[in-house]
Amino acid sequence: MRPCVTVGVDGTDASHDALDWAADEAWLRRLPLHVVHAWPGEAQDAPIAPGARSAADVGEEALEAARAQVLMRHPDLEVATRLADRAAREALLDAAADTDLLVVGARGSGGFPRLLVGSTALHVAANASCPVVVVHGSGYQEAAGGVLVGVHGRDAEEEVLSFAFRAADSRQLPLEALHAWSYPLVSGPGHAFPPVYEAAHVAAEQSRLLAEVLAGWSERHPGVPLSETAVRSSPARELVALSETRQLLVVGRHGTPRGPLRRLGSVSQAVVQHAQCPVAVVPVTVVPVAET
C-alpha cells in the first residue's frame, strides 16, 4: 500500500479537530489522506422506520462532509474515504497496519460528558502498530511553543526522536527534549534508610545521559533549534504541564503487553489523558539483551 496518513472520524467536534490536524500533516508530508468512518453494521433483517436513514447512509454522509472539510483546507490534497463495517477500535487498528500515521480525536461519540479521553483513543494508542496522534482540541494552533519530546533515557530512542525531529523540521518549529528523573527507591534489609545522594552529581549524570541520547541528531536536522532539559520531577507531570504551551508532544510507548491498556505505559497513558495539545505516541522497538 502507498504511504499515507489515516484519520478516524465520527462526526463529533473532536473528530473534526483530528481531521484538520491529519489533513495538515498529510499536506506537510506530501502524502494522501485516508479518512475512515466505522459503524458496527445492522442486522440483515433489522427493520428501518419509514423515512429513517440507515447507519450506512449516515456514515457515507459523514465521510462526504469530512472530504469537503479537508478540501476546503487543502484543495490539492489527495483524499480517500472508507466506510468500515466494524467497531471503531477494530477498524482503526486494521487501518494502522497499512498507514504511516494514524490520527484520532481525544473523545468519541460515546462516553461520559466530562471524560477526558475516550476508550477508543486509548485502545488505539496502546495497540496500534504505527505512531498514533491523539488530538486534544484546536487551541494548540495558537501555542507559542514548538514540539516537545519526552526522552526515556534508558532504551533506544530512535523512533521517538526521529518522529519528533521530523515534526519540528516540517513545521519549522523548535524542539525541546525533556528527560525527567527521580532518585531510585533503594532500601536495605528491614527497610533501612536509603543512601544519601549527592544531588549535583546525580543531576549532572542525568544531563550527561540526555546529551548522549541526543548526540548526532542536530547534525541530521540542522534546521531544528534544539534545547535539552533534564529535571528532577515526575515525567508525566512535567510533560502535561509543558503541553499547555506546545503545538505537539511526542512520547514513546515503552509499556509491556500487560493490563487493560496493554502496551501503554503509565507516563504515556497519563500524557494521552491529560495533555493540552496533540500527543504522538510512537511505538519503541526494544531489542532483547542476549544472555551471557
Side-chain angles (χ1 to χ4, degrees), residues 22-59:
D24 291 346
E25 183 68 13
W27 183 80
L28 286 171
R29 296 190 180 205
R30 293 178 172 80
L31 293 177
L33 178 67
H34 288 194
V35 185
V36 177
H37 177 84
W39 61 293
E42 299 160 319
Q44 294 288 336
D45 55 353
I48 300 178
R53 297 178 299 163
S54 68
D57 291 337
V58 173

Side-chain angles (χ1 to χ4, degrees), residues 37 104 129 180:
H37 177 84
V104 294
S129 56

Side-chain angles (χ1 to χ4, degrees), residues 133-218:
V133 173
V134 180
V135 179
H136 293 261
S138 58
Y140 65 90
Q141 296 173 342
E142 287 77 41
V147 177
L148 174 66
V149 58
V151 176
H152 192 258
R154 290 193 298 271
D155 298 324
E157 303 283 350
E158 183 75 22
E159 296 97 334
V160 179
L161 290 175
S162 178
F163 189 101
F165 271 93
R166 180 176 181 178
D169 206 352
S170 64
R171 292 166 172 78
Q172 298 183 333
L173 292 174
L175 174 65
E176 179 181 2
L178 174 74
H179 171 57
W181 56 273
S182 59
Y183 293 131
L185 296 176
V186 179
S187 62
H191 302 288
F193 289 109
V196 176
Y197 295 105
E198 174 54 52
H201 175 76
V202 177
E205 181 65 17
Q206 295 298 323
S207 295
R208 181 194 62 79
L209 176 63
L210 177 60
E212 286 185 356
V213 171
L214 295 172
W217 282 95
S218 288

